[in-house]
Each structure stands twice: as C-alpha cells, then as structure tokens.
Amino acid sequence: MKIKIENSTQLRELRLKRNIEVELPENSTVEDLLLELGLNDLMNEDETLSKYMVMLKNKKTVRSTDTELKDGDTIRLLPMASGG
C-alpha cells in the first residue's frame, strides 16, 4: 500500500524530503512507517509519539504508534510549536 508523507519538519532523516510516498505492506501501523523512515527516536516505549512532533493522518491527530494505516492515507509531520 502507498502512504503519502507531507514533511514540514527539519528532521535530520527527512531534511531534504518534503513530499514523498512510501510503500508499506498491508495492515501496517504508524510504528511500521516510522521504522521505514528511520524515525525510531519519535516513538516512546508506551506506544505514544514524541512530544517534539505532531503527526496528522488524513488531517486528524495521531497519538499512538499502533494506529493502523490504509492505502492512500496522507501523513503530515509538523514540528511542535515553540515560542519565545
């Protein structure tokens, strides 16, 4: 299945990639996607996502790495906002 990634972060692993498509096996999860992208550091041991990034799946917030993905899903990666 194909998953579209819209990257708005400065993550080292994805720095030069803004819009990419990833091929994953059927029944893959957000965890599988992060592993495929080399973003293991964004997963917590309790199956939650790092507080340093916001992930949206089809415009809805993703909170857990066990969230299932479907063919054609769009994942958007956003940096957590910080102020000063």
Side-chain angles (χ1 to χ4, degrees), residues 1-82:
M1 67 182 180
K2 292 185 180 184
I3 306 296
K4 181 180 176 184
I5 311 295
E6 297 175 353
N7 176 32
S8 298
T9 70
Q10 291 297 317
L11 292 168
R12 176 176 18 110
E13 297 85 350
L14 298 176
R15 185 165 291 147
L16 301 177
K17 299 174 184 173
R18 291 291 170 210
N19 295 302
I20 58 175
E21 201 167 77
V22 176
E23 185 81 29
L24 294 173
E26 292 294 322
N27 301 315
S28 290
T29 63
V30 167
E31 178 178 3
D32 299 321
L33 175 65
L34 292 175
L35 291 171
E36 177 71 23
L37 294 173
L39 300 174
N40 310 25
D41 294 344
L42 297 179
M43 296 185 288
N44 298 319
E45 290 182 24
D46 64 354
E47 296 185 348
T48 59
L49 294 170
S50 169
K51 63 182 179 179
Y52 300 110
M53 181 195 66
V54 175
M55 179 184 283
L56 303 175
K57 174 187 161 194
N58 303 325
K59 299 183 181 179
K60 295 185 180 185
T61 303
V62 174
R63 301 195 193 289
S64 175
T65 60
D66 67 354
T67 300
E68 289 188 30
L69 299 172
K70 294 186 175 29
D71 187 46
D73 280 348
T74 297
I75 297 292
R76 184 151 190 203
L77 303 174
L78 302 163
M80 183 56 76
S82 62

